[in-house]
Every structure is written in C-alpha cells, then in structure tokens.
Amino acid sequence: MADKPSFYITTPIYYVNAKPHLGTAYCTILCDVMARYKRACGYDVKFLTGLDEHGEKVQKAAEEHDMTPQQWCDSLAPDFHKIWETLEISNDDFIRTTEERQVKAVQYLWERMREAGYIYKGSYDGWYCVHEETYFTDTQVDKADEEHGTEGQHLCPDCQRPLQRVQEESWFFKLSEFQDRLLALYDEHPEFVMPDFRMNEVRTFVEGGLRDISVSRTSFDWGIPVPFDDGHVTYVWFDALLNYATAVGYGDPSMAEEYARRWPAQFHVVGKDIIRFHCVIWPAMLMALGEALPEHVFAHGFLMVRDEETGQTRKMSKSLGNAIAPQDVIDLLGVEGYRYYFMTDCVPGEDGGISYGRMEQVYNADLANSWGNLVSRTLNMSAKYFDGKTPELPAGWETLDNPLRSIADGLAERYGAAMDRVAYGVAKDEVMELVHAANHYIEDSAPWAIAKDEARADELVQVMANLLEAIRISAHLLTPFMPETSAEVLRRLSLEDEVETDDLLGICAWGGLKGGVPVTKGDALFPRLQSDDK
Ligand code: MSP
C-alpha cells in the first residue's frame, strides 16, 4: 500500500437530523465514483464520509423527541450506514463528530489556535439561523428582508426560516486577517475551487472583506467544550470542518505517519450551498494552524425536480409534494441504474433537473437497450457458436484493424481525462460510443449469417472476439458507476480475477480477452422498464 500514491476524498458530514435523501445520496455517490475510479488507477484511496452531530439544531430536535442529543444521534446514525451500504458506497471510514477522536482533535485545534494568536474573546451580537447553523450580520439580514419582502419579520437569507437574535460572550477566529492570503491562494491555485465558475463567487465574497467569526457558543451545551473556557462549546462548523483532518490523525501523535501521508486531502466534495465554509473558512483555519491546504474543493449543484408537463425545475421539498426518496428510485431503476442515472445525466457542477420520465428514458436507452442488450446478445452468440465458451483466439487476433478497436484505442485515457475533472457524463459518452459501435457492428457483421458458413469460421472467431473484447473494456470503464453489474459481466466472461484492478489503463488495452473459457449467459442485466412500472 505504502508505495501507492495516496488519494484522499471526502463528502460533507451530514447533519444527523435529516434522514439521508436524494441530495445527500447524490454527493456521496459522486465521491464513491471518484474513489472507485482512483483505486482502479492504482491510488491508495481513503474515502471518508460521516455525520455532523453537534449544534443547536440537533439539541433541539433531541429535546422534541425526549431524548438526549447523543441518544438522538445514535438512533439516526444507522439509517446512514444502511443507505450507504445499499447504494454500494465504498467508504473506508465513517466519522461521527461525537467520537472521542474528534473531541480530542477539536480541543487540540483550540490550543493551537490560542498559541498561534488567531482567537480572542469578545461578545457576539447578531443573527443566527439554527437550521443553517450560520451567523448573519444586520446588513445581510436587512438586504434579504428587502429582497423577500418579509414585512418586518427577520428571516434567514438562505432558508427563509425565522432568525434568532444572539447576544453572548464568544471566542472569535480572526478570519479578517486572511483576506490577502486567501486571494493569493485563489490566484496561485485556481483549481482549488472546482468547477471554475464557482471560483468567481468565492473570490467576490472574499474581496468584499471578511469579518472575524464567532466560534464558540454559551447559550446551549451540545458541542465540544472549549478546553480553556468553561461554559463555552465549539461552534458547530468550527468543529465539523476539522473532521477531514481528524480522520487522518490530526493532533494524534500515534497517527503522525498516517497524517503525513494522507494530508492534505485531494478532494472535498460539497454542495454549492456550503462552499464559503469550505473555500474561505476552512483554508483560513488551516493557514492559521500552519497546515497544508486541500487540493480541490468540488462544488456540485442541487438536484431539482423537473415538471414533465411544463419542463420547469423546482427545488425538491416535502411541502411542494415533489420530494423523491432514494428508495423510490431504487425501486424503479435498481441500485446500479440509480447510480448510473444520477452520475451521468446530471452535470456534477450544475443543478440537475431530474424526473421519473427522464430516469426511465436513460435507463431504457443506455442500460436496457444498449449495454444490457449488447452483453446478452454477444454472450448468447458466443455460447451458441463456441460450445458455451469464448472462441479460441489465434495469435495476433488483437492486432487486426476493426471499427471497435479503433474506438478502444486511447479510450481509457480519454475517459480518464474526463473522470479527473469530474465530467462523468463525458466519460460515460466515451464508453457508450464503444457500446453503440459494438451494437452496430453486430448488425453490420451479422455473426448469425457467418456462423452458417463453415468456410468463414475464422471470420466468426474474429468478429466475436472483437465484440467480447469491447464488452470487457466497457465493463471495466463502467465499474465506478455500476460496480456490481460490471463485476457480473467480467465473471460471465470468466474474468473474475480482473474485477479488482489497480491498472485501469493497462487492463483496458485492446487484446486482454481470454479465449476458450466458459461464458455464462445469465439473466438480463437491465430488464426494460415499462412506463407503468413506476
Ligand atoms: N453538516 C453540514 C456539512 C458539514 S461539512 C464539514 C451540512 N449538512 S447537510 O446535511 O445539511 O448537507 C450536506 C450536503 O447535502 C450539502 O453539501 C448539501 O449541498 C447537500 N444537499 C442537500 N440538499 C441537496 C439537493 N437537493 N441536491 C444536492 N445536494 C444537496 O451542510
């Protein structure tokens, strides 16, 4: 392991009091696809997800349910483990901010911040939104009130819920001192914020001037205690952001080696609503601590529901009655169809307009009619013409020109370039080009006609080998999106030992097919959906 380069990727840690939903699943699958792809490229991947369990919101929810906050968190955490398992999430670690390792790391952070002189005690007087766990200034609130016409009621600029006025003694983090260093970071590392159009938003915000932020609370106690000041607990975001470092051993001498190897993270994947925390506050915290900065913060858009009649998209919400639960999608498309649809049909950086109609269309067109059909026709023919096996392959078969080989040449590299910039839809198009070409190749070469003519036996071998090889390569490249079906396809070709690879480029080189080995016809991978199935 140690000789492989490290690749560390994280999801946001989810607030424990909302059940996992399509949005949180979207972000988690997005990371999973990257983690699986990087593992296949030979990286030693650490993929972290987890739960954000402190803060006023959790404390209140627990009170409403007559539980202690810890009991409340413990009662909800299993839902996350369960859905991630169902969705084939391959995380290597799962952090909960109530764990001992996080408590220790946060307390270590406080000590380091104090030593470095980046915190001071003052008093906070301003607005707070419990739902967003975010502070707002009078100016921000006035502006939002004006925009939304709230008639004297002060509502959260982000979620429009009523705000609290908070007046309390508090520790402050000197964020205002980091403006220049943050702007220099954005100039020197434009790839720090991805996709690039999000960078403008971050930069404009920082150029507008930064205020010191309140990072401790005294009016409730569900948080990590400030080690040197009784009665103060850590502001939930000051705690939550640190989870990424905690999980690789920040502040833990027994994990010094791991920390040196893993930190900084390569990718923090987050929703567009929380980029300020990740692209402004978090790098400033790390600068204050003298720690290295993550390489990329990738911000994905929001999933919006598209109305099939009007074509308009709207935010998903229970009150609008358009909320879709992960299980509803799993019931319709299966887990792999689910992953494929969200990862290839929504552009990761932008808001995605989702609808059941579109899900069905993509599933039927790409998975049932193209990929599934190609596998089933080809494996059936192979079994039929070669006695339940793949053809015996003559020496040099892989050197002969054919339309599939010319697409497959350089395919893994083109696909990889798209995957590296999280352009999953583009990567999928590259693979689908091969799949579509293979389906056309079946029609054009008509193996069933060749099979009738003994004089054309060599040609039949070549045509079937080309098709099976196109399938083998496609299965590998589709693995990050649909790990189980790809593994199944490889097993059906007696290639089980190839399922886990750490040399994606090498394994996708044309010519890796095994000749004369059993093929399994198996059931349809993606049975076609009829509209009334949903
Ligand atoms: N706890 C904080 C994150 C702390 S990270 C140090 C938080 N949690 S959250 O549960 O509210 O949201 C987690 C993620 O889910 C965010 O990245 C958010 O963008 C994402 N989503 C919530 N609704 C969404 C959609 N409808 N679509 C896509 N993702 C959305 O914020």
Side-chain angles (χ1 to χ4, degrees):
M1 273 296 198
D3 54 340
K4 290 182 171 185
S6 169
F7 184 86
Y8 180 29
I9 182 166
T10 66
T11 71
I13 46 172
Y14 302 112
Y15 286 129
V16 73
N17 46 330
K19 284 199 182 264
H21 50 79
L22 274 194
T24 44
Y26 177 70
C27 187
T28 312
I29 301 172
L30 210 105
C31 287
D32 186 66
V33 169
M34 184 59 82
R36 287 178 184 271
Y37 160 68
K38 285 290 179 183
R39 281 189 203 108
C41 292
Y43 287 84
D44 171 18
V45 171
K46 177 167 170 110
F47 168 19
L48 173 73
T49 187
L51 296 176
D52 193 352
E53 301 192 330
H54 288 125
E56 204 171 344
K57 179 158 65 168
V58 171
Q59 177 156 335
K60 285 200 162 146
E63 278 160 12
E64 281 160 23
H65 290 83
D66 281 332
M67 289 189 206
T68 65
Q70 191 65 62
Q71 285 169 334
W72 172 240
C73 295
D74 292 347
S75 73
L76 292 165
D79 286 343
F80 286 85
H81 284 289
K82 202 165 140 237
I83 188 83
W84 299 155
E85 202 178 309
T86 306
L87 290 172
E88 302 173 331
I89 302 304
S90 62
N91 57 300
D92 308 284
D93 194 354
F94 188 99
I95 190 166
R96 298 178 54 184
T97 51
T98 49
E99 285 170 20
E100 185 65 22
R101 57 177 168 166
Q102 174 75 356
V103 176
K104 282 192 172 153
V106 169
Q107 295 195 327
Y108 181 77
L109 160 92
W110 277 107
E111 300 289 1
R112 297 288 78 73
M113 284 284 181
R114 186 157 72 152
E115 270 171 24
Y118 284 113
I119 50 169
Y120 63 91
K121 204 165 174 179
S123 69
Y124 179 78
D125 184 357
W127 299 102
Y128 194 77
C129 172
V130 177
H131 183 78
E132 301 290 322
E133 298 282 17
T134 303
Y135 297 98
F136 294 97
T137 61
D138 285 322
T139 328
Q140 286 171 312
V141 173
D142 290 346
K143 195 166 154 242
D145 285 350
E146 223 168 86
E147 255 168 47
H148 297 112
T150 55
E151 290 160 12
Q153 217 200 347
H154 299 302
L155 300 183
C156 170
D158 288 349
C159 71
Q160 278 83 56
R161 288 179 173 83
L163 289 165
Q164 261 182 19
R165 186 79 193 177
V166 175
Q167 283 167 309
E168 61 187 359
E169 185 186 67
S170 174
W171 284 88
F172 283 81
F173 170 54
K174 293 184 184 170
L175 184 63
S176 62
E177 292 198 5
F178 291 90
Q179 183 178 21
D180 292 344
R181 288 170 66 183
L182 286 168
L183 291 172
L185 162 71
Y186 308 148
D187 285 342
E188 284 157 28
H189 296 282
E191 74 295 344
F192 176 67
V193 184
M194 288 170 70
D196 49 10
F197 64 87
R198 296 268 176 224
M199 176 59 107
N200 301 337
E201 194 180 320
V202 173
R203 190 192 294 276
T204 310
F205 176 75
V206 174
E207 280 168 352
L210 296 173
R211 289 166 169 260
D212 293 347
I213 53 165
S214 161
V215 288
S216 75
R217 304 285 312 268
T218 51
S219 46
F220 68 96
D221 61 9
W222 184 236
I224 298 180
V226 177
F228 40 77
D229 202 353
D230 279 354
H232 283 256
V233 294
T234 312
Y235 167 46
V236 63
W237 273 99
F238 209 48
D239 162 1
L241 287 163
L242 194 71
N243 91 87
Y244 304 129
T246 306
V248 292
Y250 175 72
D252 178 350
S254 72
M255 287 180 73
E257 231 175 89
E258 164 87 347
Y259 186 71
R261 203 165 65 83
R262 288 290 188 199
W263 193 259
Q266 276 58 50
F267 262 90
H268 291 316
V269 177
V270 303
K272 65 177 185 179
D273 54 330
I274 54 175
I275 48 178
R276 281 187 198 170
F277 293 101
H278 286 83
C279 301
V280 180
I281 300 179
W282 179 225
M285 285 168 68
L286 290 165
M287 286 172 184
L289 297 167
E291 301 294 328
L293 305 182
E295 288 174 23
H296 309 286
V297 176
F298 182 87
H300 65 76
F302 264 51
L303 293 179
M304 312 283 280
V305 180
R306 186 183 300 280
D307 183 315
E308 307 205 56
E309 273 160 34
T310 64
Q312 281 176 338
T313 55
R314 300 179 84 174
K315 237 185 134 166
M316 213 181 316
S317 93
K318 280 191 194 138
S319 52
L320 289 174
N322 65 356
I324 300 176
Q327 195 57 50
D328 299 342
V329 181
I330 296 173
D331 292 346
L332 180 68
L333 304 181
V335 168
E336 304 244 314
Y338 178 132
R339 292 174 57 109
Y340 180 86
Y341 168 73
F342 282 101
M343 291 301 113
T344 66
D345 205 51
C346 301
V347 180
E350 295 167 18
D351 287 347
I354 60 167
S355 70
Y356 279 120
R358 180 71 190 153
M359 286 180 204
E360 197 171 308
Q361 203 182 350
V362 168
Y363 174 98
N364 277 339
D366 287 8
L367 300 182
N369 298 350
S370 299
W371 175 227
N373 198 25
L374 172 69
V375 172
S376 116
R377 288 173 90 187
T378 308
L379 270 53
N380 273 316
M381 287 191 286
S382 187
K384 184 167 167 198
Y385 306 142
F386 302 104
D387 196 20
K389 297 194 176 139
T390 59
E392 292 291 347
L393 300 169
W397 73 274
E398 75 285 4
T399 59
L400 302 184
D401 281 342
N402 68 79
L404 304 186
R405 201 192 119 174
S406 41
I407 296 175
D409 279 347
L411 173 61
E413 288 84 352
R414 296 193 298 278
Y415 160 97
M419 293 297 281
D420 283 331
R421 52 188 173 87
V422 205
Y424 293 165
V426 177
K428 173 273 301 187
D429 288 343
E430 294 285 355
V431 188
M432 279 297 153
E433 192 189 338
L434 181 60
V435 169
H436 294 316
N439 275 319
H440 288 302
Y441 184 71
I442 297 183
E443 296 307 319
D444 294 345
S445 52
W448 48 89
I450 310 177
K452 286 191 186 131
D453 184 350
E454 276 197 14
R456 297 174 74 190
D458 291 350
E459 195 186 335
L460 184 65
V461 167
Q462 188 66 37
V463 165
M464 291 308 300
N466 291 342
L467 284 167
L468 291 162
E469 180 61 352
I471 290 177
R472 186 188 71 85
I473 293 171
S474 305
H476 277 297
L477 298 177
L478 290 171
T479 296
F481 302 110
M482 299 182 290
E484 254 319 301
T485 28
S486 282
E488 173 62 17
V489 171
L490 292 170
R491 283 193 295 267
R492 287 183 188 183
L493 292 172
S494 294
L495 294 170
E496 40 278 277
D497 50 344
E498 267 191 23
V499 169
E500 295 214 347
T501 180
D502 58 7
D503 178 21
L504 190 66
L505 281 188
I507 217 155
C508 287
W510 188 263
L513 185 69
K514 266 197 225 159
V517 293
V519 285
T520 312
K521 292 190 272 180
D523 296 334
L525 296 174
F526 299 101
R528 222 186 124 74
L529 292 175
Q530 310 298 336
S531 311
D532 51 5
D533 284 358
K534 65 168 190 255

